[in-house]
Amino acid sequence: MGSGGWSRRRFVGALARTAAAAAALPVATACGGSPAPGSAPASAAPPAPVTGTGASGGARASSGPRPLWIGTYTSAEGGGKGIGLAEYDPRTGRITGRGTLTGVGDPSFLAPHPDGRTLYAVNEREDGAVTAVRLSDRTVLGSRSTGGAGPCHLSVHPGGRWLLSANYGSGSVAVHPIDDSGALGERTDLVVHSTAEPGPGQRGPHAHQFVTAPDGGHLLAVDLGTDTVHTYRLDEMAGTLTETSRARARPGAGPRHLTFHPAGRYAYLANELDDTVAVCAYDPGDGRLTIGEAQSTGAGTGRGTNHPAQILVTADGAYAYLANRGHNSLTRYAVEGDGSGLRLLDTVPVGGDFPRHIAFSPDGGLLFAANQKSGTVTVFHVDRDNGDLRPAGEPFASPVAVCALPL
């Protein structure tokens, strides 16, 4: 473990004293500053170009091996040494390890640039940073401070010129410019969340996600610590943010992850602390989000013993899948009413412990789950007709796997 500084452990410990849910919250250790520049990757074939987002599965299938990048905590006991490198067979789902990209500290979340040339990673430490990696030769292009503690999520604005990141520890969101090489410039904005009092044990803002709505005109930041989703406009010339609205989840919900329906008028919110999901109406005109009633995850373990992590929607908008930490399952929903409703169908064992992150392959035929506590990545075939999930081979071992990004 690293010494001193911010740790998500502090938040977990406080919550454990005030709510039964805290025992299974994700743990991240923080220490030191930015990772050293440079990299020493193990030998691996050059990655193929990106053919889709991996989040909704709309690209055509590839017949050859595809790259898989795996995020971890390098400062956690038994953690990784950097970003895990692997390949997967898009037909069978079989994963083959290809070494490690070193020189990136605590890369707990990963996201690609839309042009497929660059990968971005958070450095989830007290002195938070974001790092750019050139995919063609796996060169680390450098890191930039996020101005906050414990960044846990990032995404690239669709225009490809701005990187958006969420600082969990300090409850803030940041914007960095991206140059033509994919490298990052100095931060252009930082907004610290401040809103109504959070629920018991939440202890102030904890930004957990920062994404662009399908309309491209609004950015949404999900804050677990204050039960709030903030909507911003981005000045695409200056890289600055203007808040336009706030949506409040019910007290103590702990909203963690928001995913949009492909049609762009509805979104689905995974609530970490009260073990629920909610359908949200979204107005592209003003970016306003309206959070609906809490719904069951199907975990059936009782309040506080299961913690939803992430929800995905298929490219055709027909099915949604939720990762359940604690219950260690994937919930399958049928999406109804053009996106306005979720109907719980079933839950499937994830085949690992504490599924922190899930992602579709670019063609939507596979679903990957990164299981933090078991240190594995499990893969499922996705039935395009009925949304059924079928395990694809044996779990792939990867230390403290917290993010699995198939490209």
Side-chain angles (χ1 to χ4, degrees):
M1 295 290 184
S3 60
W6 172 87
S7 171
R8 207 185 289 197
R9 235 184 251 284
R10 294 181 182 176
F11 175 67
V12 173
L15 202 57
R17 293 189 293 271
T18 57
L25 285 176
V27 176
T29 305
C31 65
S34 300
S39 63
S43 61
V50 177
T51 59
T53 65
S56 57
R60 65 182 183 275
S62 170
S63 59
R66 303 289 305 165
L68 176 70
W69 298 76
I70 302 173
T72 184
Y73 287 119
T74 58
S75 60
E77 183 177 358
K81 303 300 182 183
I83 301 174
L85 305 175
E87 291 179 341
Y88 69 95
D89 186 319
R91 295 166 296 182
T92 66
R94 176 183 170 84
I95 299 174
T96 303
R98 292 289 184 246
T100 304
L101 174 67
T102 60
V104 185
D106 290 313
S108 64
F109 194 84
L110 311 171
H113 192 283
D115 66 12
R117 299 177 181 176
T118 314
L119 181 77
Y120 300 96
V122 299
N123 306 122
E124 192 172 338
R125 296 180 165 183
E126 180 179 11
D127 185 9
V130 284
T131 296
V133 178
R134 188 168 58 217
L135 288 173
S136 61
D137 59 4
R138 299 189 175 97
T139 295
V140 176
L141 299 176
S143 302
R144 297 288 185 177
S145 170
T146 62
C152 65
H153 183 273
L154 47 70
S155 63
V156 181
H157 187 264
R161 296 183 55 230
W162 304 102
L163 184 73
L164 316 172
S165 59
N167 291 307
Y168 179 89
S170 52
S172 58
V173 291
V175 182
H176 288 81
I178 300 173
D179 69 20
D180 291 342
S181 73
L184 299 170
E186 290 293 343
R187 187 177 66 251
T188 55
D189 206 355
L190 178 71
V191 178
V192 179
H193 289 166
S194 176
T195 183
E197 283 297 311
Q202 287 170 282
R203 299 199 170 198
H206 292 290
H208 215 301
Q209 184 191 28
F210 198 18
V211 294
T212 306
D215 60 83
H218 299 91
L219 315 181
L220 290 95
V222 180
D223 197 298
L224 180 148
T226 58
D227 301 316
T228 304
V229 180
H230 301 255
T231 297
Y232 297 95
R233 279 197 176 276
L234 172 69
D235 184 324
E236 295 189 44
M237 296 299 294
T240 54
L241 300 169
T242 301
E243 186 173 9
T244 61
S245 65
R246 297 179 185 181
R248 290 278 289 171
R250 68 181 188 174
R256 175 188 176 95
H257 185 265
L258 184 78
T259 297
F260 279 88
H261 184 272
R265 298 307 296 262
Y266 295 96
Y268 311 105
L269 187 64
N271 294 315
E272 176 176 320
L273 300 186
D274 71 356
D275 186 20
T276 65
V277 296
V279 177
C280 307
Y282 175 73
D283 185 342
D286 60 12
R288 187 172 297 276
L289 194 75
T290 302
I291 301 174
E293 295 296 318
Q295 297 182 220
S296 172
T297 63
T301 58
R303 180 184 173 90
T305 58
N306 182 62
H307 303 282
Q310 185 174 8
I311 188 165
L312 298 180
V313 184
T314 56
D316 61 5
Y319 297 96
Y321 303 92
L322 176 72
N324 294 303
R325 296 165 301 162
H327 194 246
N328 291 337
S329 65
L330 299 171
T331 301
R332 181 174 62 117
Y333 296 94
V335 179
E336 300 180 325
D338 295 325
S340 63
L342 291 178
R343 176 167 54 88
L344 196 155
L345 296 175
D346 56 22
T347 60
V348 175
V350 76
D353 190 356
F354 221 65
R356 173 74 173 268
H357 174 262
I358 56 176
F360 290 124
S361 58
D363 68 349
L366 297 172
L367 185 151
F368 293 75
N371 303 298
Q372 180 175 350
K373 292 184 178 180
S374 59
T376 57
V377 177
T378 48
V379 189
F380 296 82
H381 293 286
V382 182
D383 190 299
R384 298 181 187 277
D385 294 325
N386 58 23
D388 280 346
L389 298 176
R390 176 171 55 86
E394 296 298 314
F396 175 75
S398 184
V400 192
V402 292
C403 181
L405 180 63
L407 298 179

